[in-house]
Amino acid sequence: LPTPSARLPYVPHVPPTALLGKVTATTFALERPLCVFDGHADASDAVWLAVAFANASSAFRNPQSRADVPPYQQLLTAHSYMTLETAAAAYSCSAPSPPVLRVGGDTACRDQGRQDPCNGPLPSPGPYRVKFLLMGCRGPKAETRWSEPILLRRGICGTATPPRVPCTCLVGVLARGTASALPHLMPLLLSPCSAKVWGSLCPQDLGTNAFIRRSYRTHHIPPALPQPLPPGCGHSPPGLCHSAPQPPAPCQRI
Amino acid sequence: MAKSDDCLHILQGLLVFGNVVIGMCGIALTAECIYFVSDPHDLYPLLKDTENSDIYAAAWIGIFVGLALFALSILGIIGVIKASRTLLMVYIILMLITFAFEMASCITAATGRDSLTPEFFLKKMLNRYQKSEPANNSDDELTKSWDELMLQNHCCGVNGPSDWQAYTSAFRSTHSDADYPWPRMCCVLNTEKVPVNLDGCKLGVTGYYNSNGCYDAISGPVNTHAWGVAWFGFAILCWTFCVLLGTMFYWSGIEY
């Protein structure tokens, strides 16, 4: 009768350190089980990692010899496999080694179809449970407990199209306001009464400035004959023209 | 030396000064827009073929508007000094047209900038980076731009390498997750462009991969570009508006 393997209290787990790639879509990292198998392992023993779907972990039976080890290719049918065969000495307390193991990192052996132990990428997000199994020449000698379920990442299908932001910013409002106000200001400026504004700003005397005088009659010289208001002045926009308190002078349309 | 003479000379002086400033600003606008169009940070491929390359259109308009402003300012100075109604009318009309174009350019730059969010770049990157059968040259250029960006700025993705894990992408369909949790360019590379520690990079060990996102490296120059075109343009427009008002006022006071 095969001797039952010793159950060690160690629980395999994903390393707590902040590693961005410790769980990806097809791989995950585990902390090395250093010092766990000391006292149980001989020099010739090997430590395997058993990986099973979380709902199939209770149905997993330890293989009794190396030949019975379920290979990676059987994961989808048998719902479990064993991989990462490592000499027990690599997990001893004094072994210098990188602190994490990466499960699923070997893409080359996936397609080869051999029955050698293959640390191939995991085909689905899982969740998976793992345990370490110490195998000797005569079968399993010790095993750790099953880990908590490890769920792999799954990418969201792309990102939604970001909506075009309607321009509510002040700049756009100002720009649009300016653009819409400009056409209203233009007739104001080109109206016949801008001449009156000019005259009221720079009051005329009887000087001989030929630049200004000829465009309208000055305030101080009353017109020789009373003339009717031309339509231009009377229909001009309110404000500028009507606020000037002077006798109506003919606005000679320029 | 009548008072109106003083008024006249002051107004002429102001208009000439205003036009000189417009001319100089026009040259400055042209130079600034040429700088932006030359794309010193090689970010144009990230925006090309999208509805968001507006800021480049705005910069192109800015080049021609700047030259027009310079030419018109000379016309304006001549017209003001000679007190010629014809010249000034031509000046006013052309300046209004230029004003409208510059307004369009500024608004385009400002609104174009608003739509350049991280999600926008993320979507473009996920859809087109290292696309296996590039539909056209622009996918290749986008890939090259991103590679260059990640190499120069030591960054990865838009928000970080987790972009490649959190979303499906064209890259993911051709590169297995186990070998390439994120592109090789996200790893710390030595002088021969080989990752210093490939396993460390794949695991995400600090020091062997670039953990920050490239959005800051993109948005910095793009913001400068958009705000440079938009705000400088608005400043010029404000000044030009005042000068135009003064010119119209001056024009209406000129005799036949």
Side-chain angles (χ1 to χ4, degrees), chain B residues 42 46 125 129-130 139-157 164 171 183-186 189 193 210 214:
Chain B
D42 198 27
L46 300 183
M125 181 184 79
Y129 178 76
Q130 299 228 14
D139 289 340
D140 269 341
E141 285 176 8
L142 185 129
T143 302
K144 280 203 206 90
S145 270
W146 266 108
D147 285 340
E148 201 54 41
L149 191 67
M150 295 198 279
L151 191 64
Q152 300 287 348
N153 296 289
H154 306 293
C155 59
C156 183
W164 303 104
F171 175 76
R184 282 286 179 268
M185 282 299 173
C186 294
L189 304 172
K193 307 250 182 85
N210 300 321
C214 296

Side-chain angles (χ1 to χ4, degrees), chain A residues 69-80:
Chain A
V69 164
Y72 166 76
Q73 286 77 4
Q74 279 186 16
L75 172 60
L76 292 172
T77 48
H79 303 297
S80 60

Side-chain angles (χ1 to χ4, degrees), chain B residues 63-121:
Chain B
I63 293 178
F64 296 110
V65 164
L67 291 173
L69 284 174
F70 178 68
L72 285 177
S73 70
I74 295 178
L75 177 69
I77 291 172
I78 297 173
V80 164
I81 291 177
K82 286 176 118 171
S84 155
R85 288 179 75 93
T86 324
L87 280 181
L88 284 182
M89 178 53 99
V90 169
Y91 167 83
I92 288 172
I93 291 174
L94 290 180
M95 190 60 101
L96 284 172
I97 295 173
T98 310
F99 192 96
F101 271 102
E102 180 60 14
M103 180 76 77
S105 161
C106 294
I107 296 178
T108 306
T111 55
R113 157 68 198 94
D114 280 343
S115 51
L116 295 177
T117 54
E119 287 72 32
F120 167 76
F121 289 109

Side-chain angles (χ1 to χ4, degrees), chain A residues 103-130:
Chain A
V103 179
D106 189 355
T107 46
C109 66
R110 167 179 52 182
D111 305 316
Q112 281 168 2
R114 297 193 310 230
Q115 298 295 86
D116 293 348
C118 173
N119 186 19
L122 296 159
S124 76
Y128 299 94
R129 297 181 82 170
V130 300

Side-chain angles (χ1 to χ4, degrees), chain A residues 20 153, chain B residues 125 155-167 172 181-183 186 201 204 209-214:
Chain A
L20 193 61
R153 296 184 79 153
Chain B
M125 181 184 79
C155 59
C156 183
V158 174
N159 303 309
S162 51
D163 286 344
W164 303 104
Q165 287 291 310
Y167 301 102
R172 180 60 60 229
W182 31 78
C186 294
C201 177
Y209 78 117
N210 300 321
S211 53
N212 37 304
C214 296

